[in-house]
């Protein structure tokens, strides 16, 4: 079964950290670019970070210097380390597979909620 399953979300105070994980199955993970997106209440889904099969990364300006995307091809998992979290980072975070360093793919996970309190 082709799927992406996110985990690691939760409630954290401003300035805190969280590490999101996305476990992939049912497709050849190692050759696919991967990405993280988020959607806040009442807003459109927005891109957060992407990573290629070789580890090249790309970040939205709003998270650059605070978030880090990485992947473990031996475990079919992509991570998002989020530091110095802000209330504006509150959103449902989605994992995405496919596409390129600069564009989203067609496979999405169901999301994990991140809430940052002030």
């Amino acid at each position: 079964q082709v799927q992406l399953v996110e985990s690691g979300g939760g409630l954290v105070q401003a300035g805190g950290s969280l590490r999101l994980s996305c476990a992939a199955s049912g497709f050849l993970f190692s050759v696919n670019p991967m990405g993280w997106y988020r959607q806040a209440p009442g807003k459109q889904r927005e891109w957060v970070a992407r990573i290629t099969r070789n580890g090249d990364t790309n970040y939205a300006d709003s998270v650059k210097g605070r978030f880090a995307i990485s992947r473990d091809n031996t475990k079919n998992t992509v991570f998002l380390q989020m530091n110095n979290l802000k209330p504006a980072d509150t959103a449902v975070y989605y994992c995405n597979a496919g596409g390129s360093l600069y564009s989203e793919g067609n496979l999405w996970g169901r999301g994990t909620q991140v809430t940052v309190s002030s």
Side-chain angles (χ1 to χ4, degrees), residues 1-77:
Q1 182 179 4
V2 177
Q3 64 177 356
L4 300 171
V5 180
E6 301 95 335
S7 62
L11 174 63
V12 64
Q13 288 188 332
S17 298
L18 282 175
R19 189 192 196 205
L20 306 183
S21 299
C22 171
S25 60
F27 64 98
L28 194 54
F29 174 83
S30 62
V31 302
N32 276 275
M34 299 293 297
W36 288 96
Y37 293 71
R38 65 187 182 187
Q39 187 168 19
K43 295 187 177 181
Q44 289 188 330
R45 185 158 56 192
E46 64 176 2
W47 157 67
V48 174
R50 294 196 60 80
I51 186 168
T52 65
R53 58 186 292 183
N54 297 322
D56 294 328
T57 59
N58 192 21
Y59 296 94
D61 287 342
S62 59
V63 306
K64 202 170 291 184
R66 299 189 297 123
F67 291 11
I69 187 171
S70 61
R71 64 191 298 161
D72 185 341
N73 288 339
T74 67
K75 297 182 179 179
N76 289 356
T77 302

Side-chain angles (χ1 to χ4, degrees), residues 37-48 86-94 112-115:
Y37 293 71
R38 65 187 182 187
Q39 187 168 19
K43 295 187 177 181
Q44 289 188 330
R45 185 158 56 192
E46 64 176 2
W47 157 67
V48 174
K86 305 175 181 180
D89 296 317
T90 295
V92 178
Y93 283 71
Y94 296 92
T112 185
Q113 176 70 47
V114 171
T115 303

